[in-house]
Amino acid sequence: MMEFAEMTVERGEDIKKTIVDYLMVNKIKTALFLNAIGSAKDLVIANPVEHELPLKPVPTTFHEACEVVGLSGEAMDWSQCDPMLLQVYPDRDLPIFLHLHVSAAIIGGHTFSGGLWGGTAFRSLRVFMMVEK
């Protein structure tokens, strides 16, 4: 049975590493990320470059500080991962498969979205999820 959990990525912390550390410390095997609220900087966002499979994601770095307006995704054991995602997934050294998508807004209200490949919390980032231990 899944239960609600929340965590905070503090200022200057690596978003993905902090989330993975939280999952490992709390012995969480499966998570469904519902959303997040807060700010980030230096986000690395990946999006497909073509309309063909297999996926060919290209990362773009946004060095600006931004407001996170959405975060969704999943965490699971590597054996449960979609094989097509495994082919392009950059973080194969993580102890758990972490697949996150983010939407963020920069000055002027301009937004950008895609697969979250990296970034740090600017002020802080609260992450909300359903977890299974």
Side-chain angles (χ1 to χ4, degrees), residues 64-111:
E64 299 87 352
C66 58
E67 290 291 328
V68 172
V69 296
L71 182 125
S72 61
E74 58 192 350
M76 66 187 76
D77 185 78
W78 283 99
S79 65
Q80 297 175 335
C81 178
D82 178 342
M84 202 173 286
L85 283 177
L86 281 176
Q87 293 176 7
V88 297
Y89 196 73
D91 296 322
R92 293 186 185 168
D93 58 334
L94 295 178
I96 192 168
F97 175 70
L98 181 64
H99 179 204
L100 296 174
H101 289 191
V102 68
S103 294
I106 56 177
I107 192 165
H110 302 282
T111 59

Side-chain angles (χ1 to χ4, degrees), residues 54-70:
L55 294 169
K56 293 181 184 142
V58 172
T60 303
T61 302
F62 293 86
H63 293 289
E64 299 87 352
C66 58
E67 290 291 328
V68 172
V69 296

Side-chain angles (χ1 to χ4, degrees), residues 1 16 19 25 31 35 58 64 95 107 109 121 129:
M1 176 175 231
K16 291 181 78 174
I19 290 171
V25 164
N35 212 339
V58 172
E64 299 87 352
I107 192 165
M129 64 194 104

Side-chain angles (χ1 to χ4, degrees), residues 16-75:
K16 291 181 78 174
K17 179 184 182 318
T18 304
I19 290 171
V20 168
D21 289 349
Y22 175 86
L23 296 174
M24 295 298 96
V25 164
N26 291 284
K27 297 179 174 54
I28 296 168
K29 297 178 181 181
T30 305
L32 173 64
F33 294 90
L34 305 173
N35 212 339
I37 188 163
S39 56
K41 65 180 182 175
D42 301 324
L43 291 183
V44 181
I45 306 300
N47 287 298
V49 69
E50 334 180 307
H51 302 299
E52 303 287 330
L53 293 176
L55 294 169
K56 293 181 184 142
V58 172
T60 303
T61 302
F62 293 86
H63 293 289
E64 299 87 352
C66 58
E67 290 291 328
V68 172
V69 296
L71 182 125
S72 61
E74 58 192 350

